[in-house]
Amino acid sequence: MKGLLHSILFFLSVIFTATTTVAADDTNVVQKHLVGTWFVEVTGVLPNGGAYQNIMNVDADGTADIVGGWMFGAAGVKFTDSPASVTKVEGNSFEIRMFAFLADAETGAPNGMNITVYRGEILDGAESFKAEADLYYLPYSVQHCPAPDTATLGTPATVAQVTGSKLASPVSVNF
C-alpha cells in the first residue's frame, strides 16, 4: 500500500511539473519567436498612400534595432536608424517602442522625433506578425531637443498598420 501511495504521489508530481513547465514556456512564446531579423512594412501613415519599409533585428534581451528604412511618398522627410525595445510580451502578443529622429531630406537637420508604439501578435508558424502602430511626433531642433516623456504623449498623430516577415533566426550554439 505504501508503495502504491508513493507511486501515485510521484505520478502526480510528474504531471504537476510537466504542466507548470509547459505553462512557463507559454509565457515566453512570443519572446522566443520575436528574436531574429524581420522585414517590416508600415502602411497608412504617409501622404498619398505612401509606405515605408525597414529591417528590424530583435535580440533575446528585448532590444529591437530598426535599421535602414526607405520611404515612398514621404514628402521630404527621412528617418534615422531607430533604437527600440520590446516593452511587453504576453501569449502571442507584444509591444515594441521605437524612437527615431526625423530630418529634412535635403539639409539633414533634425526637425522632429517620431515615437512609435507597435502593438501586435505573432501569426501561426512564427514567420510573420501583424501590428497596429501609434505614431507620435514631437517637434525638435538642434537648439531644443529634450528627452521625450512617454507617459505624457497624449493622442497619437497617426495610427498605422504594420506587417513583418521573418528573414532569419539566430543559431543556438552550445559550447
Side-chain angles (χ1 to χ4, degrees):
M1 183 71 168
K2 196 173 185 181
L4 179 61
L5 181 59
H6 283 286
S7 295
I8 291 171
L9 288 175
F10 176 75
F11 178 74
L12 289 175
S13 71
V14 168
I15 289 175
F16 178 76
T17 302
T19 304
T20 57
T21 302
V22 170
D25 287 345
D26 286 345
T27 62
N28 293 323
V29 169
V30 73
Q31 193 169 355
K32 290 177 190 174
H33 294 308
L34 267 178
V35 173
T37 304
W38 297 85
F39 176 79
V40 178
E41 181 170 62
V42 180
T43 59
V45 62
L46 298 174
N48 303 321
Y52 68 87
Q53 292 96 17
N54 52 39
I55 304 297
M56 178 174 71
N57 189 56
V58 180
D59 292 332
D61 66 357
T63 302
D65 293 318
I66 300 172
V67 296
W70 42 96
M71 305 175 83
F72 304 98
V77 175
K78 66 178 182 176
F79 281 89
T80 60
D81 291 348
S82 310
S85 294
V86 178
T87 54
K88 181 180 176 184
V89 292
E90 185 177 312
N92 275 352
S93 300
F94 63 88
E95 179 183 279
I96 295 175
R97 291 189 181 209
M98 180 270 293
F99 301 86
F101 283 109
L102 301 172
D104 182 272
E106 290 181 22
T107 66
N111 58 16
M113 177 178 266
N114 169 31
I115 300 171
T116 302
V117 180
Y118 294 139
R119 294 177 321 282
E121 67 180 47
I122 299 288
L123 300 177
D124 292 334
E127 295 299 313
S128 63
F129 71 77
K130 66 177 181 176
E132 187 173 88
D134 293 338
L135 284 79
Y136 303 88
Y137 298 102
L138 305 175
Y140 277 76
S141 68
V142 174
Q143 295 79 19
H144 182 68
C145 188
D149 181 0
T150 57
T152 61
L153 290 174
T155 305
T158 310
V159 177
Q161 301 306 309
V162 182
T163 57
S165 301
K166 189 169 260 188
L167 297 174
S169 294
V171 174
S172 296
V173 179
N174 295 325
F175 292 102

